Amino acid sequence: MPSTSSDMFEPALCLSTNLTDLATQLDTTVLLPWLTEIAQDENIKFCLSDQVHAVPTYTVIVDSSLEFTAYVYNWPIADNHKIYNDHKCSIKSVEDVRELLSTIETSKICEGVGEDYESRSAAIDPNADITAFGPQTVVRHSVPKMPTPTQFEATVFFMCIECQVIMETSDELCNPCSKASKQLKKRTEKRTKASPAKSKAPLAACGPEKLRATVKATRLECKMLKQQLQEVQECI
């Protein structure tokens, strides 16, 4: 007896062999809330904005070879990210597009290492050659907000170079940023435990943490002496 399975009647996916074919399929496809920009023979761009920042929250660009690259606030997701393996690095149908955009939209953005004294002092700007730095180096990533007539603001992320950017888990930090955050905390603990240098110790022999501790101790001593001087002056 012939099979009556519904699988026999499912329409075959219309696979694209080039960017023009995919663009033709997308012409009649609505992917809200994502916006689609088609540049024939160049690329197809999908964007999703949060209406707060001046750049899209998520951007996916499909090039002429049907391979895609994903961005979060213009920060590129690394080539070794799980999302590329899961989606085979390519888009060949509208269903592929829907699946990819859904995966990205439902993912969680890594919050980075957080902003404090250590992250601000350790961070480098993205215009530097980040390939020359270690994987746990912190990068300052500024995302401009929609300008208003009275002010201009930006959201600043402090992320390590190997940040995974988006995650499928509910964790606040990805593994690389978590490691970088722990490293920064160790620096903070070391800095707070550092003792001031002795009065005759050569500055060249003192590390940065000891110099900071020395400056703090000297400022405190000067403050106390100033208070004592004021008390003496009041008694005269």
Side-chain angles (χ1 to χ4, degrees):
M1 180 180 293
S3 172
T4 58
S5 171
S6 60
D7 292 341
M8 295 181 60
F9 302 99
E10 290 184 357
L13 288 176
C14 183
L15 300 180
S16 302
T17 58
N18 55 57
L19 196 66
T20 303
D21 287 347
L22 182 59
T24 301
Q25 293 185 48
L26 291 170
D27 275 341
T28 57
T29 304
V30 178
L31 298 170
L32 294 177
W34 291 76
L35 297 179
T36 305
E37 299 178 15
I38 300 176
Q40 294 291 351
D41 300 326
E42 293 183 11
N43 61 57
I44 300 176
K45 182 186 295 185
F46 306 96
C47 299
L48 179 62
S49 299
D50 57 12
Q51 306 304 319
V52 174
H53 296 90
V55 298
T57 306
Y58 304 110
T59 303
V60 177
I61 298 178
V62 182
D63 61 25
S64 57
S65 62
L66 298 182
E67 294 183 349
F68 72 88
T69 305
Y71 302 81
V72 176
Y73 292 125
N74 284 350
W75 180 287
I77 298 177
D79 294 341
N80 60 355
H81 194 282
K82 184 175 180 291
I83 193 172
Y84 296 110
N85 292 328
D86 290 349
H87 296 271
K88 300 179 181 179
C89 295
S90 64
I91 297 294
K92 294 185 178 180
S93 69
V94 173
E95 287 306 312
D96 286 347
V97 174
R98 292 185 188 279
E99 185 179 347
L100 173 62
L101 299 187
S102 176
T103 299
I104 294 175
E105 188 176 354
T106 56
S107 63
K108 179 177 175 57
I109 299 177
C110 175
E111 296 181 3
V113 300
E115 182 178 2
D116 55 22
Y117 173 80
E118 290 296 339
S119 60
R120 289 195 301 270
S121 59
I124 63 173
D125 292 320
N127 56 0
D129 182 11
I130 62 175
T131 59
F133 297 88
Q136 293 183 9
T137 300
V138 177
V139 179
R140 184 184 297 102
H141 181 52
S142 299
V143 183
K145 291 185 177 181
M146 292 287 191
T148 67
T150 58
Q151 60 185 0
F152 180 82
E153 297 180 347
T155 301
V156 181
F157 294 91
F158 291 87
M159 312 157 73
C160 73
I161 290 177
E162 291 191 345
C163 178
Q164 295 176 1
V165 190
I166 58 173
M167 308 171 292
E168 295 180 354
T169 64
S170 59
D171 297 335
E172 294 182 353
L173 305 181
C174 65
N175 287 335
C177 281
S178 179
K179 292 179 181 178
S181 180
K182 291 177 181 178
Q183 189 178 65
L184 290 174
K185 287 180 180 178
K186 288 182 180 179
R187 291 183 189 175
T188 302
E189 293 173 356
K190 183 178 179 181
R191 178 168 53 83
T192 54
K193 292 179 181 178
S195 58
K198 295 181 179 180
S199 58
K200 295 184 179 180
L203 294 179
C206 298
E209 308 303 335
K210 184 171 286 293
L211 289 175
R212 290 192 187 98
T214 304
V215 171
K216 287 184 177 180
T218 303
R219 286 179 176 176
L220 180 60
E221 184 179 353
C222 290
K223 183 178 180 181
M224 294 175 63
L225 289 174
K226 185 177 180 180
Q227 290 176 347
Q228 292 175 3
L229 180 60
Q230 288 177 345
E231 291 175 358
V232 171
Q233 289 176 337
E234 290 174 357
C235 294
I236 296 176

